[in-house]
Amino acid sequence: MKLEESNQNMFGKEYLSHIAVECVLFAFCENQMKVLLFKSKVDDIWGLPGGFVLKKETLEEAANRILRERASFEDVFFTQFHIFNGLNRVHPLFTEDRLLKLGIPKEQHVWLNQRFLPVGFYALVHFSDVTSIEDEFNIRCEWRNIDELGELMMDHNEIVTKAQEAVRLQIRYQPIGINLLPEKFTMPELQKLYEAILGRELDRRNFQRKILSYGILERLTERRVGVAHKAPYLYRFHMENYNKAHEEGLQGSW
């Protein structure tokens, strides 16, 4: 199939008009919350992974397909958190000359410059090396510290902020950590995760007392070796209690 025919079919016939998805993937590494960003082919600017929705798929399926096609992520559990409906929400870099350089024919330019209403999804995932897969719009991807994102394309900084707010709300009534920490971790490491999400320090004693009261942790006989201070005990999540707390909610607030 010729490129022009492929693009006509892709944009005009297979995808929903006016609806898109934007994905915020959070990971935790070296006591820092990370966000997955992609570098755009359209210009030298970074943004979130996002894209259009096929007529034959749900929004969640579209989000997973985009992450699979662009970074080889499989079966990500997404949470929908917001719909962005700015009146002037069009891509400022989708100009005719740039789109033509990408091999997109003129008849598709109007479709691409519609006012799209993206549905925001976030996911908490294990930190890992990502595989950049070049496509029509993106060159590569990488993890970036959440406080070092810089200026992102369009309203993507706002989308990350909204996603942060959603995660901070989630942490008030559901346990967090199973998708962000290794299988075995120390209490200080778990506290650092909560502090990174909340954006503030927590009292060590109060944190330990509260997190243990939920019954979602198992203390192991093993200790973390090779640390500067007294070797702390390792913990892991008690899966049955963790899942129950995730379904029924936690009492209290951070």
Side-chain angles (χ1 to χ4, degrees):
M1 183 179 291
K2 295 180 180 178
L3 178 61
E4 181 173 338
E5 294 174 348
S6 175
N7 278 298
Q8 287 178 353
N9 185 50
M10 179 179 67
F11 295 126
K13 298 180 181 179
E14 293 191 5
Y15 289 86
L16 294 174
S17 297
H18 302 291
I19 301 295
V21 295
E22 297 290 358
C23 307
V24 185
L25 262 66
F26 292 109
F28 185 66
C29 181
E30 298 178 343
N31 297 330
Q32 293 277 347
M33 291 300 293
K34 308 276 187 177
V35 176
L36 186 65
L37 297 181
F38 283 75
K39 189 173 185 180
S40 173
K41 263 187 185 179
V42 181
D43 211 335
D44 187 20
I45 192 167
W46 291 83
L48 298 168
F52 308 124
V53 181
L54 289 166
K55 294 178 180 179
K56 62 181 181 181
E57 65 186 356
T58 66
L59 294 175
E60 290 80 6
E61 289 170 344
N64 265 287
R65 172 180 52 78
I66 289 164
L67 265 298
R68 182 174 61 253
E69 292 175 350
R70 296 186 178 179
S72 297
F73 272 95
E74 293 288 348
D75 300 322
V76 177
F77 178 77
F78 282 104
T79 299
Q80 182 178 327
F81 68 94
H82 196 73
I83 297 176
F84 297 86
N85 60 353
L87 293 176
N88 297 316
R89 198 185 189 281
V90 295
H91 201 306
L93 301 179
F94 277 0
T95 58
E96 182 172 313
D97 60 332
R98 287 190 172 98
L99 291 176
L100 287 174
K101 287 180 181 179
L102 293 177
I104 298 173
K106 288 186 178 181
E107 52 266 34
Q108 294 300 327
H109 297 185
V110 173
W111 194 93
L112 283 169
N113 280 295
Q114 296 177 88
R115 178 192 169 200
F116 280 93
L117 305 183
V119 180
F121 288 89
Y122 74 83
L124 308 175
V125 301
H126 284 291
F127 179 83
S128 62
D129 293 332
V130 290
T131 302
S132 298
I133 302 175
E134 187 173 341
D135 62 12
E136 291 93 341
F137 300 110
N138 298 287
I139 301 173
R140 61 189 178 91
C141 58
E142 68 178 38
W143 292 106
R144 189 84 58 86
N145 289 345
I146 198 166
D147 56 352
E148 298 175 353
L149 299 182
E151 184 177 352
L152 305 179
M153 66 172 58
M154 298 175 66
D155 55 356
H156 288 197
N157 290 92
E158 177 191 352
I159 293 174
V160 173
T161 298
K162 286 285 187 181
Q164 278 186 281
E165 294 171 357
V167 175
R168 287 171 180 169
L169 179 61
Q170 178 184 344
I171 209 173
R172 293 178 179 272
Y173 63 88
Q174 286 183 325
I176 277 181
I178 200 165
N179 293 327
L180 295 169
L181 292 170
E183 180 184 359
K184 300 176 183 180
F185 51 86
T186 66
M187 188 65 69
E189 289 166 351
L190 181 60
Q191 181 173 336
K192 286 293 185 182
L193 169 62
Y194 273 68
E195 290 176 337
I197 291 173
L198 294 170
R200 57 185 173 86
E201 293 185 1
L202 299 170
D203 180 79
R204 180 182 62 83
R205 292 180 181 177
N206 288 340
F207 174 82
Q208 182 168 324
R209 181 170 58 251
K210 189 167 189 175
I211 200 73
L212 289 176
S213 71
Y214 294 144
I216 61 174
L217 298 179
E218 294 180 77
R219 194 176 87 166
L220 308 177
T221 57
E222 304 170 60
R223 292 175 180 264
R224 175 76 76 211
V225 297
V227 294
H229 304 288
K230 182 180 178 181
Y233 280 103
L234 290 171
Y235 289 80
R236 66 184 174 197
F237 289 110
H238 187 292
M239 291 308 303
E240 182 179 351
N241 292 349
Y242 185 98
N243 291 332
K244 183 178 180 181
H246 197 272
E247 292 176 1
E248 298 180 359
L250 300 171
Q251 298 299 318
S253 173
W254 295 100

